[in-house]
Amino acid sequence: MNKLTIVVSEKKPKTIFEKIWDSHVVKHAAGYPDALFIDRHFIHEVTSPQAFDGLKKRGLQVFNTKRTTATADHNVPTKDQHLPIKEALSRHQVETLRKNCKEFGVELYDLGHPFQGIVHIIGPELGLTLPGMTIVCGDSHTSTHGAFGNIAFGIGTSEVEQVLATQCILQYKPKTMKIEISGKLGKGVVSKDIILYIISKISASGATGFFVEYAGDAIRNLSMEARMTICNMSIEMGARGGLIAPDETTFDYIKGRKFAPQGEVFNRAVSEWKKLATDEGAVYDQVLKFDAADIGPMITYGTNPGMGMKVTDRIPTTAEMKEISEQTSFTKSLEYMGVEAGSKLLGKAIDYVFIGSCTNARIEDLREVASMVKGKKKANNVEVWVVPGSKQVQEQAKKEGLDKIFEAAGFELRDPGCSACLGMNEDKIPAGKYCISTSNRNFEGRQGPKSRTFLASPLSAAAAAITGKVTDVRELL
Amino acid sequence: MSKDKFTILKSTGVPIPAENIDTDQIIPARFLKATTREGFGDNLFRDWRYDSDNKPVKDFALNNPTYTGKILVAGKNFGCGSSREHAAWAIYDYGFRVVVSSFFADIFKNNALNNAVLPVVVSDSFLKNLLDTIQKNPSTDVTVDLQNQIISYGTQSQKFEINAYKRECLINGYDDIDYLLSLNKEIREFDLAH
């Protein structure tokens, strides 16, 4: 599986996306979608049971068990994870995953396993996610892995079944888009702000049909974990996925990880990975450029991730919406959120702070939050949940004493899982309550029926936890 | 899973004009705990259909008895967000076979096509007129002809795009696994070389 054959054409200049795609096409036939080989497949308890059922009905086996890794994350409790799951349906779903993995011979990082965690957090931390690969998972935030310079995207359960059965997926090649961010980020501005800013500029459907490559010095200067946050939210502008060409930052991160190539094999891999970068003169279907200096700490005010603004800005007015149909959706959204068109959110009281999800629950995120709250206490009106992205992140946080900082601040450090990002387990924001969340979606009811979500960076969320209201983080720095 | 065959559908439509309808609205996460594909229709648009006391919300289209039929007509960017195929299963289970919109999110579109639900992309103006017409006259019949890729009602009609492979799959009830399994030898060789 570590044989590296990245075929680089001598003739036509190619983008990194085209190089990886073209080297994974098993069959290209006129009139048919490409049969694309999948190097790495991640599965979890929610979107896999019906796929395994499909295999059983057809009498098929898993094509290559070494290429699929399972974990339990979406529907697991984040309190007392060592005890049996109380809720019957959730318990049954996790037990079904166990049964299926055992029957079909798939490696499972189950609750209690030192490698368990959110699927998009454990892949990179275990070195399962590598440059040049094709990676899929029955989860739209699979785009996270693209930070390592690979083609990673979310798929439905019928497609999970295809990959289990054949290690391939049928796909039409999407169009390519380059998003370039140049310049220096301002004080208090982090990678979450970059991606919220981009989505606010191009809308929740602005990249539908495209695969995005993020480039520019502002992206190059980010750590691997910060890059993952950007790629993670590619789907929130409709993109099939998003990637960043690998560089020394990428190779340093991968080196020595559990399942990454080791020693001489690693060195050879790096020289192959270096060939992945987009060739000079390669053409994208669309190119967008933004100036890093224009980005501020961001917050969303509405019910899709495109409805975002700088935290110091005013919510748009209805008159600023061009179409009547847009005006109707906009008004409905603000009504749901209980906010006024044309007003500012700064100073608005909040009820919950959620630090977690595949977007922002890695160790750097927790360190960022801890640096902001060290020696401080949360406001009385807020409840704060810190849900680490994986068992390894949780252990590392304890090792560094972050748990003590959170405890002293009145934050609750929980067990790993997707938690209040999607409110599948009991971690739900109550109806009508406001939550500043480091997750990725502010859809109606996403964090619980009638819950109201403001998306923001871990730094901004930590600031809000201390003040109890929507805050410009720069005032606390 | 072998699927229903789709050729021509003539039916009345159900209008939900909202834009950016995400899959969390179509089927909220708390209803994703089942391990089979059936039964999700009961919770289709759950939080728009029922209030917090589980009483039907009167003015929501699915609760309005004047709106019936197998065609859902919705605002642009339908199916954005989560990749959950449960959204397509819920739409199918409820009884819809076609969703008409001016724009679909990619993953939802694939999921729908893999579950015998046809996404029909029409122009913004065609969509607006169709929504208006159904709202004024809920008994309007809409015809979706997959072979000829034409959607029509009254005197209006429009050609819609769908790739030829997926059209053949829907017309014949094939699915992608049938095709991929036929490539088994090539895939084995590819796997060994990587």
Side-chain angles (χ1 to χ4, degrees):
Chain A
M1 209 182 299
N2 286 326
K3 285 182 206 165
L4 300 147
T5 44
I6 292 148
V7 183
V8 181
S9 158
E10 298 298 320
K11 297 166 202 158
K12 186 177 162 275
K14 284 183 174 183
T15 63
I16 175 173
F17 173 80
E18 290 166 319
K19 289 181 195 180
I20 302 171
W21 183 283
D22 294 351
S23 65
H24 284 82
V25 174
V26 174
K27 176 119 180 158
H28 175 82
Y32 284 84
D34 288 343
L36 194 69
F37 188 81
I38 299 301
D39 293 315
R40 186 73 69 206
H41 184 205
F42 294 102
I43 60 169
H44 60 84
E45 74 277 25
V46 178
T47 60
S48 69
Q50 295 86 351
F52 281 112
D53 267 359
L55 292 189
K56 287 177 207 167
K57 276 183 195 143
R58 292 173 198 258
L60 296 169
Q61 292 298 314
V62 172
F63 185 90
N64 181 349
T65 52
K66 289 192 183 71
R67 293 192 183 273
T68 296
T69 305
T71 194
D73 58 358
H74 278 64
N75 190 13
V76 301
T78 57
K79 269 183 172 176
D80 299 327
Q81 226 170 52
H82 58 290
L83 299 175
I85 300 173
K86 283 184 206 146
E87 213 253 339
L89 284 173
S90 304
R91 191 172 61 242
H92 180 250
Q93 204 167 42
V94 174
E95 279 168 359
T96 303
L97 180 70
R98 276 176 205 145
K99 253 188 250 164
N100 285 329
C101 286
K102 202 170 166 202
E103 185 178 339
F104 287 89
V106 171
E107 181 84 63
L108 166 66
Y109 300 132
D110 202 348
L111 293 178
H113 192 285
F115 298 161
Q116 180 268 340
I118 303 176
V119 62
H120 311 308
I121 292 193
I122 68 168
E125 77 185 6
L126 290 170
L128 288 166
T129 299
L130 299 173
M133 282 183 159
T134 47
I135 301 178
V136 295
C137 171
D139 186 279
S140 61
H141 293 111
T142 307
S143 57
T144 313
H145 306 263
F148 291 79
N150 54 48
I151 294 182
F153 55 91
I155 56 176
T157 297
S158 295
E159 293 167 317
V160 171
E161 187 183 335
Q162 289 171 33
V163 178
L164 288 173
T166 71
Q167 207 56 49
C168 276
I169 189 167
L170 282 182
Q171 290 283 302
Y172 286 93
K173 200 173 182 174
K175 291 179 282 183
T176 54
M177 179 189 283
K178 178 160 85 162
I179 299 183
E180 211 174 290
I181 317 280
S182 311
K184 207 168 167 291
L185 292 172
K187 193 171 95 170
V189 180
V190 294
S191 72
K192 180 67 163 285
D193 299 307
I194 300 179
I195 190 64
L196 285 174
Y197 172 89
I198 297 171
I199 304 167
S200 77
K201 291 288 176 192
I202 75 170
S203 92
S205 58
T208 303
F210 289 89
F211 206 99
V212 176
E213 179 179 348
Y214 301 97
D217 54 341
I219 300 290
R220 280 286 142 232
N221 292 334
L222 297 174
S223 70
M224 274 324 290
E225 298 200 352
R227 292 179 190 184
M228 284 187 244
T229 301
I230 304 232
C231 291
N232 171 275
M233 290 188 72
S234 303
I235 182 74
E236 309 316 336
M237 47 188 173
R240 205 70 182 83
L243 59 73
I244 296 170
D247 56 15
E248 291 304 324
T249 306
T250 322
F251 310 142
D252 288 347
Y253 180 96
I254 295 169
K255 195 172 184 177
R257 292 198 178 256
K258 177 90 179 158
F259 297 109
Q262 310 285 333
E264 198 36 49
V265 187
F266 175 78
N267 295 337
R268 265 185 285 133
V270 168
S271 60
E272 288 296 319
W273 294 337
K274 283 181 177 166
K275 297 179 194 162
L276 287 168
T278 295
D279 298 329
E280 187 83 31
V283 180
Y284 297 86
D285 294 300
Q286 200 175 335
V287 177
L288 301 175
K289 293 183 181 183
F290 298 103
D291 180 0
D294 187 45
I295 307 173
M298 298 288 295
I299 192 161
T300 61
Y301 55 84
T303 53
N304 73 58
M307 301 174 83
M309 62 180 186
K310 288 176 203 166
V311 71
T312 46
D313 282 350
R314 285 177 192 283
I315 297 171
T317 59
T318 314
E320 288 170 59
M321 305 293 130
K322 279 172 253 159
E323 305 284 333
I324 291 176
S325 59
E326 272 179 76
Q327 291 180 2
T328 315
S329 293
F330 179 75
T331 308
K332 182 172 170 281
S333 176
L334 295 199
E335 264 174 33
Y336 179 87
M337 289 300 293
V339 298
E340 297 270 334
S343 72
K344 282 192 178 188
L345 281 184
L346 267 185
K348 185 166 183 65
I350 51 149
D351 310 291
Y352 286 80
V353 174
F354 173 63
I355 314 274
S357 86
C358 56
T359 314
N360 281 124
R362 284 169 283 268
I363 191 66
E364 285 180 14
D365 300 315
L366 268 52
R367 284 183 194 137
E368 218 161 61
V369 172
S371 73
M372 169 65 64
V373 304
K374 192 170 184 177
K376 300 192 181 84
K377 276 208 175 320
K378 71 169 184 71
N380 286 329
N381 58 312
V382 289
E383 200 168 307
V384 187
W385 301 337
V386 182
V387 182
S390 71
K391 210 70 199 163
Q392 292 204 59
V393 170
Q394 187 182 30
E395 290 309 311
Q396 185 63 29
K398 286 181 183 167
K399 219 174 176 178
E400 296 178 18
L402 307 186
D403 57 333
K404 298 282 181 297
I405 296 173
F406 295 144
E407 199 186 328
F411 292 13
E412 211 182 314
L413 180 63
R414 298 207 173 176
D415 292 329
C418 298
S419 181
C421 173
L422 82 165
M424 247 196 107
N425 68 353
E426 51 275 32
D427 304 347
K428 291 182 178 67
I429 306 303
K433 298 292 183 191
Y434 288 99
C435 177
I436 292 213
S437 179
T438 68
S439 55
N440 40 57
R441 288 184 176 139
N442 50 352
F443 297 151
E444 281 185 30
R446 171 80 178 179
Q447 297 195 284
K450 308 280 181 230
S451 61
R452 291 156 160 174
T453 304
F454 296 133
L455 300 175
S457 75
L459 210 52
S460 292
I466 294 160
T467 60
K469 53 195 183 192
V470 176
T471 301
D472 182 351
V473 64
R474 290 168 295 198
E475 289 168 11
L476 272 71
L477 290 172
Chain B
M1 227 167 72
S2 63
K3 294 288 181 329
D4 318 346
K5 295 179 183 182
F6 191 115
T7 47
I8 288 185
L9 177 69
K10 186 177 181 185
S11 166
T12 48
V14 180
I16 305 183
E19 296 182 350
N20 299 309
I21 295 179
D22 57 79
T23 53
D24 275 83
Q25 306 318 312
I26 299 171
I27 180 92
R30 62 187 191 281
F31 300 110
L32 307 184
K33 296 179 183 182
T35 54
T36 60
R37 288 171 188 249
E38 293 77 33
F40 290 103
D42 292 345
N43 294 313
L44 176 66
F45 290 111
R46 179 76 204 194
D47 292 339
W48 289 0
R49 223 163 123 194
Y50 299 97
D51 64 17
S52 38
D53 299 322
N54 286 326
K55 292 207 180 77
V57 174
K58 265 191 193 148
D59 59 357
F60 185 60
L62 263 53
N63 296 327
N64 183 338
T66 61
Y67 296 130
T68 56
K70 296 181 172 181
I71 300 175
L72 175 63
V73 187
K76 73 175 171 201
N77 198 23
F78 186 85
C80 58
S82 159
S83 60
R84 60 188 71 165
E85 194 163 312
H86 311 66
W89 299 337
I91 286 169
Y92 180 91
D93 194 53
Y94 185 87
F96 291 120
R97 293 295 175 267
V98 169
V99 184
V100 181
S101 180
S102 56
F103 196 91
F104 287 92
D106 283 334
I107 306 180
F108 174 80
K109 199 199 264 180
N110 280 347
N111 287 341
L113 288 166
N114 283 335
N115 286 281
V117 172
L118 175 64
V120 174
V121 186
V122 297
S123 69
D124 284 322
S125 59
F126 188 91
L127 178 68
K128 188 180 176 300
N129 289 334
L130 177 59
L131 284 166
D132 288 349
T133 305
I134 295 174
Q135 283 168 330
K136 277 184 203 130
N137 181 7
S139 62
T140 305
D141 269 325
V142 181
T143 303
V144 176
D145 176 348
L146 179 57
Q147 186 69 56
N148 295 304
Q149 297 174 227
I150 287 172
I151 176 169
S152 57
Y153 66 95
T155 58
Q156 305 292 310
S157 76
Q158 192 167 79
K159 181 121 179 147
F160 63 87
E161 291 301 319
I162 176 171
N163 68 65
Y165 164 77
K166 276 295 177 191
R167 189 183 65 179
E168 289 313 300
C169 283
L170 282 174
I171 289 173
N172 297 302
Y174 299 153
D175 69 15
D176 288 351
I177 289 195
D178 299 329
Y179 175 63
L180 285 171
L181 287 172
S182 75
L183 302 178
N184 186 52
K185 190 170 160 282
E186 287 103 314
I187 301 172
R188 283 277 166 221
E189 284 165 8
F190 196 96
D191 190 23
L192 284 174
H194 284 71

